[in-house]
Amino acid sequence: MDTSDRSPADVPALVVADLKKHFRRSGGGTVKAIDGVHLEIAQGEIVVLLGPSGCGKTTLLRAVAGLEQPDEGMIRVAGRDVFSTTGRRVQVPTEHRDLSMMFQSYALWPHMDVKKNVAYPLRRRGVRRSAARAQVAEALRRTGISGLEDEYPHQLSGGQQQRVALARAIVAESPLVLFDEPLSNVDAKVRVELRSELIGLQRKLGFAAMYVTHDQGEAMEMGHRIAVLDQGRVAQLGSAADVYERPATRYVANFVGAANEFEAKVVDVAGESVLVETALGKVRVPRSNSPAGAAAGDVAWVMFRPEWMSVTEDADGARWTGRLERLVYLGSHAEAFVRVGEELFQVWADPRRSLAPGATVHLDVAQERLRLVTDDIDRVAPDTTGEAGR
Amino acid sequence: MIRGLVWNLRDYLRSPFRVVVAAVALVAAAAAAYPLVRVFLNLFVVDGRVDFSSLGQITDVPGLGGILWNTFSVVIVSSILALLAGAFLAWLNERTDATLGAIGRAMPYLPFLVPPIASAVGWLLLFHPTVGTGNAFLRNVLGHVGIHLGHGPVNIASWWGLTFVLAVVHVPYSYMVISAGLRNLDGALEEQSRVCGAGTVKTFFLVTLPGIRNSVGSAVLLLVFFGLADYSIPVIIGTSAQIKMLSVEVVQLMTQKFPPQTGAAVSLSLVAVVAVAVVWVLQRRLLSRGHFYAIGGKGQSSAIVRLRGWRRPCQAIAILFIIVSSVLPLVSLVIVALTGFWSATPAWSNISLRTFVNVLVNDSTSASSIQNSLVLAVFGATLGVVVAALAIEFVSSGRRSRFTGFVDAVIKAPATFSIIVVTIGVILGFSGSPLYLGATLTILLIGYVVVYLPQATVTIESSASQVGRELREASAVAGSSSSGTYLRVVAPLVVPGLVAGWALLFVRMLGDLTASVMLAGPSTSVIGFRILSIYSNGSFGDLAALTLLVTVIATVVVFTLLLVSNRIGRRTRTATSSVVAVTGAEPAR
């Protein structure tokens, strides 16, 4: 990746290539915290790292910050290699990476008042006291906490502490800001408020961001793109719609949103569809929705979202017939749990419809909505890569 | 992997601050390891081969069986007594409405304010069977009700007396540890038990006690360790009771035999080390068998037990106990120091400050001992705190590795052995070739620092651990170098811990007996050394005056520094704890 022929505006804020980091377990054995990650964040783009705890998302973020040392690979921030094991080894210490970061605990220094906390990144980067003062005031204004300059962290509410941490993260106008689950410590209402403010700030200031969270709602709202991490690997990288509508693997399908899935065995690949044998009979899945190179004999899962399926009372043309076990009223929709053979499907139904548990119902889902997924990250359906390949 | 290591090393060398920190930590580790290594080499390496036969020299100790029996019976019984008393006081203060107020808060500091030597001398002056002031007073009272005694009724110079004083002096340790355990035990667990229908007593035994098992285990370990290591109470009270204890015998083997019987002394000390190790293993076994889960520090309320009619009596007993155990011995010291003589009936007409003038001015040995001790304590505490702070910085900043863990363990290793073994190592390592520091103040300084460094390390560490990792990382991300991060973020937050550590070291070094008696000589006398020589052939008035002086200096220094530390810490501490609360809290979902 030669960056010399790109104009400055084209230089990605972050490039991570083939990054690996293994931890040795105390009881022996190793954990692959980061297992060959490739990732690029464009200028002004927010990429969210999403995954459950232990998937490597925080380790990846900390490796970019220089707080963890990867075993091998390359990290380039704004066109400058800050870590590299290919060729001449590069390892720039955290303090020289010119980044900003917002920590989960906010990490406000308790012995400094708000203005000192926020001025810190500027002062350490050689900004004169008088110049820093104006920038601090601007950052506090932008984060809506003007007037708190002289308060100490323990005198502030959780939400205010968070805004101070945010002000400190944006004050130096670093090209890349790292967010480590910054909203997980406040209550739901403040969180929603801060999320939209954060997006507003980002659109206005235009910094690029890497944002770690385990909350899929937050990921979908915040990220231009979402990287779903699975055991140290990027299982899928794409827009919220890509990840939800076209999950690349079984893991992604289940982690983001609810999924109906049942086991299938590929019988035949012909033309534009793949024929699979399942416990519920033969099912045809579009080839574009199936793993690349699917061949007869492969084991996979047929997957679809609850709202892609409908409940009908008309047996004609219905795909499956089953028994309604439970109906949960949720206002905007009702969630029906329908037993078909051994499988229990979750289906969205019209909340005003009167359905009685025990009733026989018919289910239908369009063939083009069916997807075939596997556990294999390297074999994903052609349409899932979306923007990920850019 | 190797390449990574080389790169880390290069990273290190780029920052002069980190080089200094690493150098200090390594020197500290070397200074801690050297005496222990010398002990090992001296005793267990013969002609280049490891040979444990010198352990057999323990049989040269005259009356070995009696010494071991005395030591273990006294330490076990006194530990049980101290544990019960400490647990009761802690429960009263933390979990009932019979709180102890300021006295309860002051409890953990008592051993620093009143050195064990002052307690030992004070109790002896009070309850010596014939000339004890307290005994004379009691006989007088009993005489009024028609009971006439020639001696007694209390005899502190006995097995029970020795056990009692040892227990009383160590109660603050068990109180401190168990209080902390109770504070960390979520009161909701007890409330749940009450809701389920268990009463106060049932709840205590079924929920509270199992919940603080960990702290009880630590308290037992601490009590046994300090009980076996203590020298001042056995030497003062044990000697007058003609009960020989292990610590006293070891010191005698080193100081009153020529040549010193190092082999026998170390072998005997190792008995104490092994005993502590056994308690430690038992504690780990018993605790790991139970189902434990760490209790979070979030939103805790402690269930307050209402004692109703029992409240006032309990409070009175507790406060009386604390006052009697700490104030009474001091009163007798004051009486003897002011009247100049120790007698059953104080000569009130003789009251003067003569004894204080004696030890401060007239008696040049005492005066120079005080001067030496003050100089050593000031320098030793300062050196110790700086070294401990930098060593902790080395161990806790940056990436934890096996190497930093090893350095940490080595620096704390002397704490595992008794002061006596470490001091023997200091003698072996520094008094002879190649350094020839014997009978100098330098060897005392080295000895004090090596012996007490682990204690300072633990104190400062607990305050440094409050500085969460993310506070440092945030500073690094903001562009600060490691020295900048230390000066601007870590140091300001650790200052209260440094001040407390300094006070601890100062008091320990000023009142030290064990290391002093082996390291000091007539030309390099220090307070502890002087106290013992006055005790064996001098005036009790001077003894009381000198002991009181130590107590007063210690109290003044500790109080002043705690005030300073609180003032500095007021802002940061509350803030730090709120940060810790935030960091420790589960993400709100």
Side-chain angles (χ1 to χ4, degrees):
Chain A
M1 290 193 198
D2 187 11
T3 54
S4 56
D5 59 340
R6 291 185 176 180
S7 68
D10 285 344
V11 174
L14 175 73
V15 179
V16 172
D18 201 23
L19 202 69
K20 289 183 180 140
K21 165 86 182 165
H22 295 189
F23 285 114
R24 216 165 302 152
R25 271 216 189 93
S26 52
T30 55
V31 182
K32 294 177 177 177
I34 309 175
D35 191 15
V37 165
H38 291 268
L39 191 67
E40 206 174 300
I41 300 181
Q43 287 186 21
E45 185 190 28
I46 302 182
V47 170
V48 173
L49 305 183
L50 176 68
S53 54
C55 71
K57 56 191 192 299
T58 293
T59 310
L60 178 55
L61 182 95
R62 290 171 57 84
V64 170
L67 299 169
E68 297 281 354
Q69 190 192 333
D71 298 331
E72 53 187 272
M74 193 273 288
I75 301 171
R76 182 177 296 158
V77 176
R80 179 172 67 124
D81 283 8
V82 293
F83 179 83
S84 174
T85 54
T86 51
R88 205 176 67 83
R89 182 161 174 140
V90 180
Q91 187 176 319
V92 176
T94 301
E95 62 264 30
H96 296 140
R97 290 195 180 187
D98 202 18
L99 300 163
S100 290
M101 181 163 170
M102 187 169 166
F103 289 82
Q104 184 175 11
S105 68
Y106 323 145
L108 299 179
W109 300 297
H111 57 297
M112 298 184 199
D113 58 20
V114 167
K115 61 177 183 303
K116 280 209 176 114
N117 260 291
V118 177
Y120 195 94
L122 295 172
R123 300 283 293 140
R124 301 290 85 73
R125 284 169 182 151
V127 177
R128 290 248 295 281
R129 196 182 299 271
S130 50
R133 199 173 299 143
Q135 280 176 267
V136 168
E138 178 61 15
L140 294 181
R141 195 188 55 75
R142 285 197 160 124
T143 48
I145 45 169
S146 297
L148 296 181
E149 283 85 351
D150 298 323
E151 304 288 308
Y152 281 85
H154 70 276
Q155 297 168 317
L156 305 175
S157 70
Q160 287 171 328
Q161 291 186 12
Q162 208 145 29
R163 285 162 197 268
V164 177
L166 181 58
R168 191 175 64 183
I170 61 164
V171 72
E173 294 176 3
S174 310
L176 179 65
V177 185
L178 309 173
F179 294 91
D180 186 8
E181 308 210 25
L183 302 184
S184 58
N185 276 338
V186 282
D187 56 59
K189 191 164 164 264
V190 180
R191 200 178 328 162
V192 171
E193 214 175 280
L194 277 162
R195 247 189 236 169
S196 61
E197 281 182 35
L198 186 49
I199 293 173
L201 262 178
Q202 192 273 338
R203 301 294 183 265
K204 196 166 186 180
L205 302 176
F207 54 82
M210 186 183 228
Y211 190 107
V212 163
T213 183
H214 59 259
D215 178 329
Q216 56 153 310
E218 192 167 303
M220 290 178 141
E221 185 178 346
M222 302 290 308
H224 291 109
R225 284 186 299 154
I226 298 171
V228 184
L229 263 64
D230 177 14
Q231 292 175 39
R233 304 177 70 182
V234 178
Q236 187 169 9
L237 177 61
S239 68
D242 287 335
V243 170
Y244 188 81
E245 307 272 338
R246 296 174 289 279
T249 66
R250 207 179 150 213
Y251 169 84
V252 176
N254 281 290
F255 188 74
V256 183
N260 289 308
E261 56 167 24
F262 54 102
E263 204 172 341
K265 192 169 181 185
V266 177
V267 181
D268 185 31
V269 182
E272 281 310 298
S273 69
V274 176
L275 184 67
V276 297
E277 175 79 62
T278 74
L280 303 178
K282 288 210 170 67
V283 177
R284 216 169 260 286
V285 181
R287 191 154 181 189
S288 59
N289 293 359
S290 306
D298 286 358
V299 175
W301 279 262
V302 174
M303 171 268 159
F304 53 93
R305 303 275 178 208
E307 69 275 20
W308 298 349
M309 182 149 73
S310 56
V311 183
T312 66
E313 273 146 304
D314 184 9
D316 287 350
R319 193 178 276 273
W320 297 299
T321 299
R323 206 174 69 91
L324 179 67
E325 289 206 342
R326 204 151 58 85
L327 192 72
V328 182
Y329 176 81
L330 289 171
S332 61
H333 65 276
E335 224 152 61
F337 292 86
V338 179
R339 176 78 63 188
V340 181
E342 293 286 296
E343 304 295 334
L344 186 67
F345 289 131
Q346 203 180 335
V347 197
W348 281 19
D350 185 338
R352 281 157 304 180
R353 250 170 81 178
S354 56
L355 285 166
T360 300
V361 290
H362 307 284
L363 301 174
D364 196 24
V365 54
Q367 180 180 315
E368 65 268 21
R369 310 260 26 193
L370 295 179
R371 300 190 66 79
L372 207 55
V373 289
T374 68
D375 291 322
D376 191 348
I377 290 182
D378 299 323
R379 289 182 56 212
V380 299
D383 67 348
T384 56
T385 41
E387 295 176 284
R390 78 175 190 180
Chain B
M1 209 82 236
I2 298 290
R3 257 182 86 197
L5 216 71
V6 170
W7 268 89
N8 279 338
L9 209 64
R10 266 188 64 173
D11 249 16
Y12 235 102
L13 297 177
R14 255 187 251 165
S15 155
F17 173 74
R18 283 164 76 176
V19 171
V20 170
V21 166
V24 170
L26 294 181
V27 168
Y34 178 57
L36 295 174
V37 170
R38 282 301 292 257
V39 168
F40 182 82
L41 289 180
N42 242 57
L43 290 180
F44 305 128
V45 178
V46 182
D47 300 331
R49 294 215 332 269
V50 177
D51 174 5
F52 289 103
S53 61
S54 54
L55 282 178
Q57 290 174 26
I58 196 170
T59 52
D60 299 346
V61 178
L64 178 66
I67 290 172
L68 293 181
W69 166 251
N70 291 337
T71 306
F72 285 112
S73 59
V74 167
V75 168
I76 289 170
V77 176
S78 74
S79 296
I80 293 171
L81 292 178
L83 182 69
L84 292 177
F88 175 69
L89 292 175
W91 178 75
L92 219 53
N93 196 37
E94 298 293 334
R95 281 296 195 265
T96 71
D97 51 357
T99 50
L100 305 176
I103 293 182
R105 284 194 296 279
M107 268 285 274
Y109 301 113
L110 279 182
F112 308 117
L113 304 183
V114 186
I117 180 71
S119 296
V121 174
W123 283 108
L124 184 68
L125 297 179
L126 270 176
F127 290 114
H128 187 280
T130 50
V131 280
T133 328
N135 268 330
F137 176 76
L138 289 177
R139 282 201 295 270
N140 195 2
V141 172
L142 291 172
H144 287 297
V145 294
I147 303 170
H148 298 278
L149 297 170
H151 59 86
V154 182
N155 181 8
I156 204 81
S158 66
W159 185 91
W160 277 110
L162 180 56
T163 307
F164 168 78
V165 175
L166 207 57
V168 161
V169 166
H170 289 156
V171 164
Y173 292 114
S174 57
Y175 172 85
M176 184 171 66
V177 175
I178 294 174
S179 285
L182 283 172
R183 266 199 299 277
N184 293 334
L185 181 71
D186 191 348
L189 297 176
E190 284 152 326
E191 283 165 351
Q192 177 64 42
S193 159
R194 301 284 292 281
V195 169
C196 294
T200 306
V201 177
K202 269 233 165 84
T203 298
F204 177 81
F205 283 102
L206 292 178
V207 176
T208 314
L209 207 54
I212 57 165
R213 255 200 307 195
N214 227 339
S215 323
V216 173
S218 310
V220 169
L221 190 64
L222 217 55
L223 289 171
V224 171
F225 178 81
F226 281 114
L228 286 169
D230 190 72
Y231 172 70
S232 49
I233 295 162
V235 77
I236 301 289
I237 294 176
T239 309
S240 32
Q242 296 186 319
I243 294 172
K244 196 163 238 183
M245 298 275 283
L246 191 147
S247 55
V248 176
E249 179 64 26
V250 172
V251 171
Q252 280 188 359
L253 288 169
M254 285 304 290
T255 56
Q256 295 182 6
K257 297 278 193 317
F258 193 84
Q261 293 192 303
T262 318
V266 170
S267 311
L268 195 53
S269 307
L270 288 181
V271 173
V273 175
V274 170
V276 171
V278 167
V279 174
W280 182 74
V281 169
L282 282 179
Q283 181 213 7
R284 296 289 294 243
R285 273 277 172 90
L286 293 178
L287 293 181
S288 63
R289 217 188 291 157
H291 299 284
F292 258 93
Y293 65 97
I295 292 141
K298 197 181 155 208
Q300 285 183 9
S301 62
S302 43
I304 296 297
V305 174
R306 304 215 171 277
L307 295 176
R308 296 195 190 87
W310 290 96
R311 182 175 159 223
R312 288 289 165 197
C314 282
Q315 231 166 359
I317 291 172
I319 290 173
L320 198 70
F321 169 80
I322 296 168
I323 288 177
V324 163
S325 66
S326 54
V327 177
L328 210 55
L330 290 183
V331 170
S332 73
L333 285 177
V334 171
I335 293 172
V336 174
L338 289 181
T339 56
F341 293 99
W342 180 26
S343 68
T345 45
W348 298 110
S349 53
N350 277 346
I351 284 188
S352 73
L353 292 174
R354 193 161 24 89
T355 54
F356 290 97
V357 176
N358 256 353
V359 294
L360 283 170
V361 185
N362 295 347
D363 172 9
S364 62
T365 320
S366 293
S368 73
S369 303
I370 294 171
Q371 205 183 342
N372 285 341
S373 278
L374 281 174
V375 169
L376 284 170
V378 168
F379 275 95
T382 310
L383 185 63
V385 162
V386 170
V387 169
L390 293 182
I392 289 164
E393 175 64 12
F394 174 73
V395 171
S396 62
S397 72
R399 304 173 183 94
R400 272 183 190 277
S401 67
R402 275 181 205 179
F403 182 64
T404 58
F406 174 72
V407 170
D408 186 35
V410 169
I411 290 174
K412 288 178 187 152
T416 323
F417 296 89
S418 66
I419 292 181
I420 301 172
V421 177
V422 180
T423 310
I424 292 174
V426 171
I427 294 172
L428 293 175
F430 294 99
S431 74
S433 94
L435 297 165
Y436 297 105
L437 295 173
T440 61
L441 288 178
T442 314
I443 199 171
L444 275 160
L445 184 69
I446 293 172
Y448 286 167
V449 171
V450 170
V451 163
Y452 293 113
L453 191 62
Q455 295 189 18
T457 314
V458 172
T459 310
I460 298 171
E461 204 169 38
S462 69
S463 117
S465 68
Q466 301 260 303
V467 185
R469 192 179 60 167
E470 296 200 335
L471 292 184
R472 292 166 179 277
E473 291 175 351
S475 172
V477 172
S480 186
S481 64
S482 40
S483 58
T485 298
Y486 191 78
L487 286 177
R488 295 193 182 87
V489 174
V490 182
L493 292 172
V494 180
V495 163
L498 296 182
V499 173
W502 196 92
L504 172 73
L505 282 191
F506 177 84
V507 168
R508 287 284 193 229
M509 291 175 182
L510 189 74
D512 171 85
L513 223 58
T514 325
S516 305
V517 74
M518 291 196 274
L519 293 174
S523 60
T524 56
S525 183
V526 289
I527 290 177
F529 186 78
R530 186 66 191 144
I531 282 176
L532 288 175
S533 61
I534 297 181
Y535 174 72
S536 49
N537 52 24
S539 137
F540 272 93
D542 290 0
L543 178 65
L546 196 53
T547 322
L548 268 182
L549 271 179
V550 178
T551 310
V552 169
I553 297 174
T555 307
V556 169
V557 167
V558 168
F559 263 116
T560 315
L561 290 182
L562 283 181
L563 278 181
V564 170
S565 162
N566 272 349
R567 180 155 294 183
I568 300 169
R570 193 169 300 144
R571 176 174 289 156
T572 53
R573 176 135 16 114
T574 40
T576 314
S577 57
S578 78
V579 166
V580 169
V582 169
T583 330
E586 275 291 294
R589 289 195 184 108

